[in-house]
Structure formats: C-alpha cells, structure tokens
Amino acid sequence: MGLAEQFLRAGSHASASDIITKYAQQHPTEPATAADLKPGDDGQHQGILSADDVAKAMALIASSANDSGSQWKADEFAAGISKHCPSLSWEDVIYKLPYAHLNVKHESGAVFIVNAFLAATAGQNRPFPYSFMYEIWPDAPAQVSFLRCTLRSASIAPYLLDKHMPTVLADPLDLLYKAYHPEFTRILASPWNSLSLILVLTHLLDSKASEDARALLEAGIAQEPLLVTLALARLKIQHPRLQALLQHNVARFLKRDFGHNGLFFELFRIYEKKMMLAFFCNIHRKDPSFSRHILDVLVDLGMANDLLLIPKREDIMMLDFIVELAVFASRRGMLAFETWFPGLLAELGGDMLHA
C-alpha cells in the first residue's frame, strides 16, 4: 500500500504525522539498488519515499480539500515527510503533481500545496516552483481548475508571481512608475502579470477544457484588463479568436470602458508601437466612429504629429486611416487640411499610385 492509499484508509481523524510515521514503520528504509531506480529518477529515492510517492499523497490531499480546508495540515505533512526523507527534492514533488492525478476543486487545495512546500523548505531561500502550472498537463480540465483556484487565493499570490516572464516590468519604465504609482504597484504584484499564464490559457483554448479556459481568460479581463490585453499583444498569438478578443479589448480601452486607459496606451506604445497603430487602423476600418477616440490617444501620447505631419512611405497602406485622422485634426484646428492634403499628394503621390 502506498502513502496516498494510507492517507485514504486512515481518514481525516488521524493526523498527517501519525499516518506518515505508521507508513515509515511498515516500510523500513532499505538502500536503493540499481533495480529500484527507474530511468530518469536520478536519485529521487530518498529515504522510504520517492518524489512520486509524496506527489501522489499530496495530490490526494489537495484534490479532496473543500470549503472547510484540507483534511490534513500542510506543516504537519511537510514535517512528517522531511523527517523520514530529509534529502527529498520538493521541487521534483511539485513538478510530478500533474502526473499524480491532481484535480483541485477548491482554493484550499492549492493553498495546501504551496504551504507544504514552504514549510518543507523553510529557511532555505527556495522559491515555490510556480512554473509547473504553465507546463502542458496530461489533464487539461484539472490544469484549468488548478489555475482558477490559485488565482482566487490572495494568501498564496505572492509566491506565484511570474519573475521569468512578467507582462510588465517596473525597471525600464521608471517615469511611468512614478506617474501611475498606485496602479503600477498593484499590477506588478498581480498573479495576472504573467505572459506564461496567458500563453498556457491560449493553449488550453484548443483543449477539451476550452470553455473553462475561455471563462477563466474572461475573468482575467474583468479583473485585470490592462495586463491580459497587453499580454495578448506582446505574445503576438495568431489565434483568430484571440486576435478578435485583443481588438475588442483595445476598442474598449479607446471608449474608456476600462479604467487606467492612459497607462494602458503608454505601455502599448512602449512595447508594441507598430502593432498599436495597425490595431487603430483596423478598428477605424471596422467602425470609423472610433477615429476621434484614436486621435485623442495619439495626441495624449505625443504621436499625432509624427503620424500626420510627417507621413512615411511605410504608412501608405493605412493612408485612408491617416486621412480620416487628418480630417478630425483639421476640425480641431491642429492642421489646415486644405494645405495638408496637397502636401501629402506631392510627397507620396507616386507611391500611392503603385500601392
């Protein structure tokens, strides 16, 4: 009987430490032989338990957690395992969870996993290996469920920040950080500040958990529209559904349906200036009524003069968009259209004929 089955048989009336101690007594430590090790184990058999054994037990506990919390305490579980397996790699345990039938239904299950790791590695300055969430799991619905639970839990959010692929960084944007300090501080600490998270959700849109993945992505847009929309732009994913979603979100920022539209377009300009202009052009072609909103943003960003007063040959494919903006700019007294348009023809007339 494995450790997971021992927990299942003992039930919640027994403590985690007692269950692990009983299992240790029934399975005295024996030196691992070459026959015991499987290809790729690389010394995972530490003490009486392997990383697979511990992952299965942890998955069982986390998957059975409910509104009342997990049936066993994370710190007792970690202490019991560490006592009998002092050299166990807890990182290996975490990465094996998706293959150990993990199916967390409540955020308390995700909290148990994070807290067990933190308790087992206390004082060792080892970060929680959050990237296991962003790999491709064999069970797509279980992965979406786990992501949903972790994103709901404020208590473990600080341990899940994507430090490898954040959508927004503060360092290169000091001036913006100072200008939008409260909002910037909040989004930098959001678990949605992750290109990896958006990337795995886009993958899951084509899995058997597509509806749940879509619902989670929409929840992210409702909660963090700036981060999710900017991530979709930065990843340059060509999925038709995501392209439509990205364009729809940019249009909502233009109409000020979302807060902090100024910060969004500042970031969009810094990260994806050419893409931003292309999106504006496409939005204008679908609905010309957006032109005045687009001009407002370009003026705020200091980009209107560059686009209107110094038209470039590479912009010729969106000349209809530029002319429309010039009409609105003329009405606002920003330029004199009757002299601007002949100047445009003189400068780019030959190229326009060949476009």
Side-chain angles (χ1 to χ4, degrees):
M1 184 192 309
L3 181 62
E5 290 77 15
Q6 192 89 25
F7 270 91
L8 194 61
R9 174 173 291 188
S12 58
H13 64 276
S15 70
S17 57
D18 287 344
I19 295 172
I20 296 168
T21 297
K22 183 177 179 180
Y23 181 87
Q25 292 171 347
Q26 296 173 346
H27 300 78
T29 305
E30 295 179 2
T33 66
D36 295 323
L37 298 176
K38 300 175 182 178
D41 273 355
D42 192 23
Q44 288 175 8
H45 285 67
Q46 307 291 344
I48 61 170
L49 294 164
S50 69
D52 285 308
D53 295 326
V54 179
K56 289 175 183 177
M58 184 180 285
L60 172 69
I61 297 171
S63 300
S64 63
N66 52 37
D67 292 345
S68 303
S70 58
Q71 298 181 61
W72 293 278
K73 295 180 180 180
D75 56 347
E76 289 186 2
F77 177 85
I81 297 295
S82 298
K83 177 182 178 181
H84 298 284
C85 306
S87 300
L88 179 72
S89 169
W90 283 87
E91 286 81 5
D92 285 344
V93 171
I94 297 300
Y95 276 101
K96 287 180 176 294
L97 286 173
Y99 306 93
H101 306 294
L102 179 68
N103 193 5
V104 172
K105 299 296 185 183
H106 193 274
E107 63 186 70
S108 59
V111 171
F112 174 86
I113 290 172
V114 174
N115 285 345
F117 178 89
L118 296 176
T121 60
Q124 300 176 31
N125 195 29
R126 289 156 64 180
F128 181 77
Y130 58 84
S131 57
F132 91 101
M133 301 188 302
Y134 308 133
E135 296 188 344
I136 305 304
W137 290 20
D139 186 342
Q143 184 170 16
V144 176
S145 181
F146 186 81
L147 289 169
R148 184 190 305 111
C149 292
T150 58
L151 291 167
R152 285 177 179 173
S153 177
S155 66
I156 59 175
Y159 306 105
L160 305 177
L161 295 181
D162 189 349
K163 297 177 182 177
H164 298 297
M165 290 181 62
T167 302
V168 175
L169 282 168
D171 293 345
L173 307 169
D174 288 338
L175 292 177
L176 279 185
Y177 186 83
K178 292 175 182 177
Y180 295 93
H181 180 70
E183 179 64 6
F184 227 125
T185 300
R186 188 190 63 76
I187 66 174
L188 289 174
S190 170
W192 284 98
N193 185 23
S194 169
L195 293 173
S196 302
L197 171 59
I198 304 306
L199 191 60
V200 75
L201 284 176
T202 60
H203 168 79
L204 289 165
L205 286 175
D206 291 322
S207 72
K208 60 182 180 181
S210 59
E211 290 304 310
D212 290 337
R214 180 189 56 79
L216 185 54
L217 191 60
E218 290 179 353
I221 292 171
Q223 183 179 342
E224 297 286 5
L226 185 154
L227 287 172
V228 176
T229 306
L230 189 61
L232 289 172
R234 294 196 63 195
L235 289 169
K236 297 181 174 66
I237 297 170
Q238 298 304 310
H239 195 296
R241 196 185 322 174
L242 293 177
Q243 285 290 310
L245 179 60
L246 174 56
Q247 196 165 95
H248 176 69
N249 284 0
V250 172
R252 292 187 67 183
F253 272 106
L254 283 168
K255 292 193 298 182
R256 301 177 187 271
D257 289 350
F258 297 132
H260 306 288
N261 67 306
L263 175 57
F264 171 75
F265 286 118
E266 289 276 14
L267 292 169
F268 208 168
R269 174 180 61 84
I270 290 168
Y271 287 121
E272 302 292 347
K273 180 178 177 179
K274 289 184 178 180
M275 178 179 285
M276 181 175 73
L277 292 175
F279 265 103
F280 285 170
C281 181
N282 288 335
I283 290 171
H284 153 76
R285 286 171 177 167
K286 288 185 176 180
D287 187 349
S289 68
F290 276 97
S291 297
R292 60 187 180 87
H293 299 300
I294 294 170
L295 183 60
D296 289 338
V297 170
L298 293 175
V299 170
D300 289 343
L301 296 177
M303 295 173 62
N305 287 343
D306 286 346
L307 190 63
L308 295 174
L309 302 183
I310 317 172
K312 304 176 184 65
R313 284 177 171 79
E314 59 263 31
D315 297 330
I316 202 165
M317 297 309 295
M318 54 181 182
L319 202 57
D320 59 322
F321 169 56
I322 294 174
V323 171
E324 183 75 11
L325 290 179
V327 171
F328 276 97
S330 178
R331 292 174 184 172
R332 298 183 186 183
M334 295 171 60
L335 56 80
F337 188 82
E338 61 274 13
T339 57
W340 177 87
F341 190 67
L344 177 71
L345 292 176
E347 182 70 24
L348 299 179
D351 297 292
M352 291 164 63
L353 293 174
H354 296 94

